[in-house]
Amino acid sequence: MPATVESASRSPGLTRTEALDTVALAAKLLYKNGQTSERVVLAVERLGHTLGLPLTLHLSWSELALQVEGMPFSEMVGAMPLGVDMGKVLGVMRVIDQVCEGKLPLEDARCALEVAAFHYSPASTSRFALFAALGAAALGVIFGATEAVSLLLMAFSAGLGALFRRWLAKVSENPFIQPLSAALLAGVVAAAAERLRLSGAASSLTALCPCMILVPGPHILNGAIDMARARVAIGLARLTYAGLLILAINIGLLVGLEACGAALPPAASSLVVPFTADVTAAGCAAAAFGTFFSIPWRLLPLPIAVGMLAHGVRWAAISFAGADVATGAFAACLFVGLVVAPVADRLHLPFAALGFSAVVSMMPGFFLFHAASDLSELVSIGSRAPVDLLIGIVSNGATAFLIILAMTFGLILPRMLLGRFLPPASRRLPTQVKTEMPSFIQGAD
């Protein structure tokens, strides 16, 4: 008899309700903290089989349904995938492994899950603000900012926005208030810097870089993966949520600028960034987003190293092969997907968060925000708008769309192929688990 089933039969104190509550808690923690839908389903169903409770997990945007085989009821759990916390996902997956391998008594599983959720707390406020400042300045370097004053302004704006976001998280649970308010603050800071003539040639980047660190990349990737796996409803929900977050960021930035009587300056021709500066800045940006997603300190070098290598691939594709921006991003993201997909499975980290941390510096926030600014200007001017404004909207919007599409496809293609040809260990359920309910499950609730 396998260790898991034997352990189950030796746990007379674990009732059906306790087993179901344990599985429901694991599902909720994984789903809320950014694990991909496929991995949530596999891990939870594996845990259910180990507890002698064969079940099927159904996902929707706001609820999880655990349908127990052979029983005329299901457990409904309220949960929405609004956050990303790699530490919590890592802790929960480790507990599931220990339970399924017989290393942790079944009656201790729920307590261990609660401890894992509490132990892996988000990054401290000071660390969060510091790395937000570092990430914004790093993105400024990648997009060609060279003046120290401009970089300091980006860092100040992003760090202040991070502190503001943490304060708002304590007073409001609305997920759109934080990015909108941080972007509004970035617009105000950029407008003040423009009036004081502090931002120099990189005035547009002073406004944009603090907003780029707000882009919800993991939600875009998770939604794309769901769509590719034909989980259309949850995929559309994730993508819609990501789109609304991006809309909130755009609104906040434009309102902040407009409130101070400023506008987003036209996009200046980007400078050729030296290879060393480009790769180093990419590593700093990866460190910032790894911190945002609460990756443990000991694992932070992983997205940094992958991000630096990926930017080297992108830089070589553009500089030596003459590739355009979208093609360079696809090549880099394909490399990241090939590296990160098996590593994420091995370490039980959410693929979307880890992958996006490595490629965040390639997200086309520069083009996206300029398209939104031009669109706002088009509405205010009306029929007298010049043709160049229309061309700018189409050009920036199409470039942003193509880059996002190339990045998403490059990242999820290795993920899909790996899942097809090398199924994760969590897919291999215990082969000798009884199909009927064990005695401890059949007991009274």
Side-chain angles (χ1 to χ4, degrees), residues 396-442:
N396 287 321
T399 301
F401 174 77
L402 289 176
I403 293 176
I404 292 175
L405 188 64
M407 291 179 64
T408 302
F409 188 71
L411 281 170
I412 69 172
L413 181 60
R415 167 78 279 171
M416 301 295 293
L417 292 176
L418 184 67
R420 174 67 178 84
F421 296 108
L422 293 174
S426 56
R427 190 186 299 276
R428 299 190 289 272
L429 299 173
T431 56
Q432 301 182 38
V433 173
K434 298 179 181 179
T435 56
E436 68 274 9
M437 297 296 103
S439 58
F440 82 101
I441 293 294
Q442 292 175 348

Side-chain angles (χ1 to χ4, degrees), residues 9-343:
S9 62
R10 290 201 306 263
S11 303
L14 191 62
T15 66
R16 179 180 62 193
T17 298
E18 291 171 340
L20 192 57
D21 287 346
T22 299
V23 178
L25 177 61
K28 183 177 181 178
L29 290 173
L30 291 176
Y31 189 61
K32 287 179 60 177
N33 290 295
Q35 181 65 297
T36 56
S37 299
E38 184 76 3
R39 293 301 178 272
V40 173
V41 171
L42 292 176
V44 169
E45 292 183 355
R46 181 189 180 206
L47 179 61
H49 277 74
T50 300
L51 294 178
L53 198 66
L55 54 83
T56 302
L57 177 64
H58 302 281
L59 307 179
S60 66
W61 173 250
S62 59
E63 286 184 331
L64 305 175
L66 293 88
Q67 180 64 54
V68 181
E69 295 179 11
M71 293 186 179
F73 71 90
S74 60
E75 177 86 357
M76 304 298 294
V77 181
M80 288 191 289
L82 303 181
V84 179
D85 192 316
M86 288 194 273
K88 283 185 171 56
V89 171
L90 175 63
V92 172
M93 292 296 293
R94 282 181 173 175
V95 171
I96 292 175
D97 275 350
Q98 290 173 354
V99 173
C100 294
E101 294 168 3
K103 299 177 180 178
L104 181 69
L106 302 185
E107 58 269 22
D108 295 337
R110 180 177 177 84
C111 181
L113 289 172
E114 293 173 347
V115 170
F118 177 79
H119 176 71
Y120 290 95
S121 57
S124 66
T125 300
S126 57
R127 178 188 171 193
F128 186 77
L130 176 63
F131 276 85
L134 176 66
L139 290 174
V141 172
I142 291 171
F143 282 94
T146 57
E147 300 176 359
V149 173
S150 297
L151 295 175
L152 288 174
L153 280 172
M154 297 172 202
F156 170 76
S157 178
L160 189 61
L163 294 175
F164 194 29
R165 288 162 62 192
R166 278 295 173 91
W167 177 80
L168 287 172
K170 298 178 181 178
V171 300
S172 174
E173 295 182 356
N174 189 302
F176 305 109
I177 293 296
Q178 293 182 47
L180 187 148
S181 301
L184 188 148
L185 183 61
V188 171
V189 171
E194 184 178 349
R195 286 183 176 275
L196 297 175
R197 301 185 183 279
L198 295 176
S199 53
S203 55
S204 64
L205 293 177
T206 304
L208 297 181
C209 289
C211 294
M212 291 183 198
I213 64 173
L214 305 172
V215 175
H219 299 295
I220 297 174
L221 293 180
N222 275 332
I225 292 172
D226 283 329
M227 295 293 286
R229 293 189 180 277
R231 298 179 183 271
V232 177
I234 185 63
L236 284 176
R238 288 184 188 271
L239 292 175
T240 301
Y241 174 62
L244 291 174
L245 288 175
I246 293 173
L247 178 62
I249 296 168
N250 278 286
I251 292 173
L253 173 62
L254 297 179
V255 170
L257 290 169
E258 184 67 25
C260 297
L264 189 65
S269 57
S270 58
L271 302 175
V272 177
V273 182
F275 175 79
T276 303
D278 185 73
V279 170
T280 303
C284 294
F289 274 80
T291 298
F292 298 159
F293 303 146
S294 301
I295 190 171
W297 274 108
R298 68 183 185 280
L299 296 178
L300 188 58
L302 175 59
I304 294 175
V306 176
M308 294 176 72
L309 290 172
H311 244 260
V313 172
R314 176 182 178 272
W315 194 91
I318 295 175
S319 301
F320 298 138
D324 56 28
V325 178
T327 304
F330 171 77
C333 290
L334 185 63
F335 166 80
V336 170
L338 290 170
V339 174
V340 168
V343 172

Side-chain angles (χ1 to χ4, degrees), residues 357-383:
S357 297
V359 302
V360 60
S361 54
M362 303 175 204
M363 283 298 289
F366 181 88
F367 302 100
L368 190 64
F369 295 136
H370 270 291
S373 177
D374 291 344
L375 185 61
S376 175
E377 187 177 354
L378 174 65
V379 172
S380 64
I381 296 176
S383 58

